[in-house]
Amino acid sequence: MRKIKNLFLLSSSLFLNNIVDAQINSEVELFAPQTISNNKVFGLTISPDGNTAYFVNSFGGRKKLHIMQSEKVNGNWQAPKPAFFSDLKFREIDPIVSPDGNSILYNSRKSLQKNMTDNKDLDIWMVKRNKSKWGKPFPLNEINSVENETYATMVNNGNIYFGLRSDKKGYGGNDIYVSRLVNGRYQKPENLGYPINTKSDEGNSYIAGDESYMIFSSDGNTSSFGQADLYISFNQKEQWSIPISLGAEINSAQNDFCPTVFNDDTLIFARSQKVADDLVENIYSTKINISFLKALAALQPTTIFDKTFPDGDAYGISFSPDGKYAYTTRSTADRSVCEIYRLEIASNGRFINSQRMNIWQITPNVSNPVISHDGTFALLRISETGKNPDLFISKKDEQENWQKPVLLPENINTEIDQYYPELTSENHLYYSSKGDVFYAEYKNGQWQNPVAVSELNTKDFSESNVAVSRNGKYLVFLSNRTGAYGTYDLFLSKKTENGWSNPVNLGSKINTNAMEYQPRFSLDNKTLYFTRSVFTEGKRQGKDEVLKVEIGEVLDSF
């Protein structure tokens, strides 16, 4: 996808954005290279004590499937051998150890009837341990049917979640079901329904022992990085939340599937891809920040200008450092006319007494105001008819009155577009130009030559609309990088010793099937403001909507 300039003028296809990079400054690693991960394995589970692993030997395909086990001795995984419960005469997959370590669920084509072949449908089997002795495997006939049941996970209370593909019921493809354990008997399986199941394939569900969250695989989301991707959903008052993709750090162009979580913070999963006539598949592990993902899933944005500007023609927001005023832009649907308004912030937080900033309106198109942290000047994006936008500065006189804007120096403004300025407490400048983010240090009363922010920019996608928290620790920006639903998402980054961290998408509660952009932090860094709009062929459809969301818990767990 090419770079695009003047982002707020874009046409956009609509999307339900569920993308989140689940881990920060963490690497995905091959699990036990050679010993276990040998290009022909998937579906690994580990006993609670961390000493036994069970997984599937695929032999590079699906014609032969054996469950294997490996023991950890002195910190090293040993050469695998067939699992003690596995029947090598049948194809068997998806071992999952229960939270207490006393049961193992798996799927088998085995039958208790005589002379059965390996072509039977997959059923859920279980093997249980009483004290130190394992019993014989048995099928869960209360759950099994003539269809294929796959990837069964048991939680603390004994409930079993599993995948089922059926032509007679469900939402379309493979769906996720639960069979509840009541008075020692498993009940009729229940389809988890929307938003977990869709007309595409959902399955491979790992459920936390307390049923607080699930991680599963889905291949039907237009946010896909390739084939099947991994998503997380949280149990919110007995309702599963809209799934959030685990993002670019975990999901890939391959099939990403068979997730389990070990020790509450380590995600184990498989990747598979077809190479010639074989499947090349391995097992991977990485750290996962469940608290951060849970905070994202709990976000609840609310609109702020519904009464102030009921016509829905306002977008973007900025604040005076004393907290008395807010500034926003009102525009025509095609953005050909943009005017900045100042609003008073009442004691109850309402925005009142809007006033057009006539002194700033030197052309019909003035927007993107940002006020310096000391309140002495403002930066604006201003364009003349037929010309690209530039950045201007307006200073206050001795009577605290805003003055007519003047053009910033040529080292900032070039022949291409400049827009959406942002200032730090030291007056360092971030801004956008031709689909990239730039930074200009403020030194000796002037901005130095800008440099591209390499941690944020990508080669083939657009990055812009930077907002920096007042304490300088966090940054939110816009990008259409891989994993979006065809338009633009808001991403979060954190300041580190080496610059800005790997950006993380802010997820489905902020990014939706419209376009979210123009982020701005509140003065106390606890609230994120942003705009939501729908554009078709460069024209706004319906209303602009400026929203706020309490983001403190997200930042604290980031």
Side-chain angles (χ1 to χ4, degrees):
M1 190 177 292
R2 63 183 175 86
K3 293 278 188 178
I4 303 175
K5 60 183 180 179
N6 290 342
L7 187 60
F8 69 92
L9 296 177
L10 286 180
S11 303
S12 62
S13 58
L14 305 185
F15 64 97
L16 177 64
N17 188 348
N18 298 327
I19 314 302
V20 173
D21 289 336
Q23 18 139 24
I24 299 116
N25 295 330
S26 179
E27 295 182 356
V28 173
E29 298 179 345
L30 197 63
F31 186 93
Q34 303 302 319
T35 304
I36 292 178
S37 291
N38 62 1
N39 293 332
K40 298 179 180 181
V41 294
F42 67 88
L44 184 139
T45 183
I46 299 179
S47 60
D49 62 10
N51 291 327
T52 305
Y54 304 94
F55 60 95
V56 179
N57 179 1
S58 72
F59 299 92
R62 293 295 180 264
K63 294 181 179 180
K64 186 178 181 182
L65 298 163
H66 292 166
I67 297 178
M68 311 295 289
Q69 76 180 69
S70 174
E71 306 297 328
K72 182 182 279 188
V73 178
N74 297 325
N76 297 311
W77 292 105
Q78 303 302 296
K81 60 183 180 181
F84 70 90
F85 54 86
S86 181
D87 190 331
L88 301 184
K89 297 189 299 293
F90 299 90
R91 285 177 287 174
E92 297 182 328
I93 58 172
D94 300 346
I96 299 289
V97 180
S98 64
D100 63 8
N102 290 324
S103 299
I104 301 174
L105 297 175
Y106 65 101
N107 299 108
S108 177
R109 294 187 183 275
K110 182 178 180 179
S111 172
L112 296 180
Q113 299 179 21
K114 294 181 179 180
N115 302 320
M116 287 296 294
T117 68
D118 188 45
N119 292 322
K120 182 187 177 296
D121 63 284
L122 284 165
D123 284 332
I124 301 171
W125 284 64
M126 181 188 292
V127 57
K128 300 186 72 172
R129 180 170 56 186
N130 185 6
K131 296 183 179 179
S132 60
K133 185 177 180 180
W134 287 98
K136 292 182 178 181
F138 60 93
L140 292 181
N141 292 327
E142 294 167 308
I143 299 176
N144 294 328
S145 68
V146 296
E147 317 262 16
N148 286 310
E149 288 82 22
T150 58
Y151 211 82
T153 302
M154 181 186 290
V155 297
N156 294 340
N157 61 17
N159 292 345
I160 292 177
Y161 292 75
F162 63 97
L164 173 65
R165 179 179 296 278
S166 174
D167 296 329
K168 301 176 183 178
K169 55 185 177 180
Y171 280 62
N174 197 89
D175 284 349
I176 299 172
Y177 288 75
V178 60
S179 176
R180 304 185 189 281
L181 184 63
V182 179
N183 297 325
R185 294 185 63 85
Y186 282 103
Q187 307 301 298
K188 181 180 178 180
E190 304 167 20
N191 189 303
L192 293 189
Y194 180 84
I196 300 302
N197 294 320
T198 70
K199 63 182 179 181
S200 300
D201 286 340
E202 286 77 34
N204 285 197
S205 56
Y206 167 82
I207 319 297
D210 60 1
E211 294 178 287
S212 60
Y213 69 88
M214 75 163 68
I215 299 174
F216 65 98
S217 184
S218 175
D219 70 353
N221 211 311
T222 54
S223 65
S224 173
F225 286 79
Q227 302 178 55
D229 286 336
L230 295 178
Y231 293 78
I232 189 168
S233 175
F234 290 88
N235 192 333
Q236 298 174 337
K237 298 180 179 179
E238 304 304 318
Q239 294 291 325
W240 291 105
S241 67
I242 294 175
I244 297 173
S245 168
L246 295 189
E249 292 291 334
I250 290 173
N251 292 319
S252 68
Q254 303 177 35
N255 274 312
D256 304 289
F257 65 115
C258 289
T260 59
V261 175
F262 177 71
N263 203 28
D264 295 328
D265 66 352
T266 301
L267 175 69
I268 299 170
F269 65 103
R271 283 179 180 163
S272 175
Q273 65 176 333
K274 192 74 176 289
V275 178
D277 294 329
D278 294 327
L279 286 173
V280 176
E281 41 199 357
N282 284 299
I283 298 162
Y284 297 83
S285 67
T286 188
K287 295 296 182 181
I288 184 168
N289 190 339
I290 299 294
S291 297
F292 173 70
L293 294 168
K294 184 177 181 179
L296 284 182
L299 294 176
Q300 295 290 341
T302 57
T303 186
I304 65 170
F305 284 161
D306 53 329
K307 292 182 172 58
T308 310
F309 300 114
D311 292 339
D313 59 355
Y315 70 95
I317 195 168
S318 185
F319 300 95
S320 62
D322 58 11
K324 294 181 178 180
Y325 301 103
Y327 296 82
T328 190
T329 304
R330 301 182 71 182
S331 76
T332 55
D334 63 359
R335 298 290 200 251
S336 61
V337 176
C338 297
E339 300 175 337
I340 296 176
Y341 281 73
R342 187 187 75 176
L343 304 100
E344 296 178 21
I345 303 176
S347 58
N348 62 0
R350 295 287 301 276
F351 299 95
I352 60 175
N353 301 332
S354 63
Q355 178 182 350
R356 184 177 183 268
M357 295 296 294
N358 295 324
I359 190 67
W360 287 349
Q361 208 66 39
I362 60 176
T363 76
N365 202 310
V366 181
S367 62
N368 300 171
V370 62
I371 315 301
S372 64
H373 285 224
D374 62 7
T376 60
F377 69 90
L379 297 183
L380 315 164
R381 171 209 174 273
I382 299 178
S383 63
E384 299 180 28
T385 303
K387 294 184 179 180
N388 283 324
D390 286 320
L391 298 184
F392 285 67
I393 185 170
S394 172
K395 297 181 179 181
K396 282 185 175 180
D397 62 17
E398 293 180 355
Q399 286 74 43
E400 297 289 307
N401 297 314
W402 290 110
Q403 300 301 294
K404 182 178 179 180
V406 297
L407 192 66
L408 287 186
E410 291 183 354
N411 68 321
I412 302 297
N413 288 313
T414 65
E415 293 182 356
I416 56 177
D417 56 338
Q418 287 73 222
Y419 55 100
Y420 209 76
E422 172 68 307
L423 292 163
T424 71
S425 59
E426 301 89 357
N427 291 332
H428 303 321
L429 170 64
Y430 288 87
Y431 68 97
S432 307
S433 181
K434 206 174 182 179
D436 278 331
V437 174
F438 288 84
Y439 170 80
E441 183 183 9
Y442 191 73
K443 186 177 181 180
N444 299 325
Q446 59 185 3
W447 284 287
Q448 307 302 299
N449 290 335
V451 294
V453 183
S454 60
E455 307 100 294
L456 308 181
N457 296 328
T458 58
K459 179 182 178 182
D460 299 320
F461 302 97
S462 291
E463 285 75 33
S464 65
N465 283 210
V466 167
V468 179
S469 62
R470 306 290 287 191
N471 58 17
K473 294 182 179 180
Y474 305 98
L475 179 151
V476 173
F477 70 103
L478 198 69
S479 179
N480 64 342
R481 59 190 60 191
T482 300
Y485 277 59
T487 184
Y488 294 83
D489 298 354
L490 292 178
F491 286 77
L492 173 66
S493 183
K494 184 177 182 178
K495 194 72 173 180
T496 71
E497 294 180 356
N498 299 317
W500 293 106
S501 68
N502 185 37
V504 175
N505 189 292
L506 281 175
S508 57
K509 289 300 185 71
I510 288 180
N511 298 310
T512 69
N513 60 348
M515 175 179 170
E516 284 78 24
Y517 61 114
Q518 302 229 342
R520 191 78 71 190
F521 284 93
S522 62
L523 299 180
D524 63 4
N525 303 310
K526 295 180 179 179
T527 305
L528 180 71
Y529 294 81
F530 62 97
T531 302
R532 178 176 292 155
S533 306
V534 175
F535 286 94
T536 301
E537 296 180 354
K539 186 176 181 179
R540 182 186 70 236
Q541 305 298 307
K543 297 181 179 182
D544 290 316
E545 188 177 22
V546 181
L547 301 106
K548 69 176 182 178
V549 63
E550 302 305 313
I551 202 170
E553 188 174 345
V554 171
L555 301 182
D556 290 343
S557 59
F558 185 44

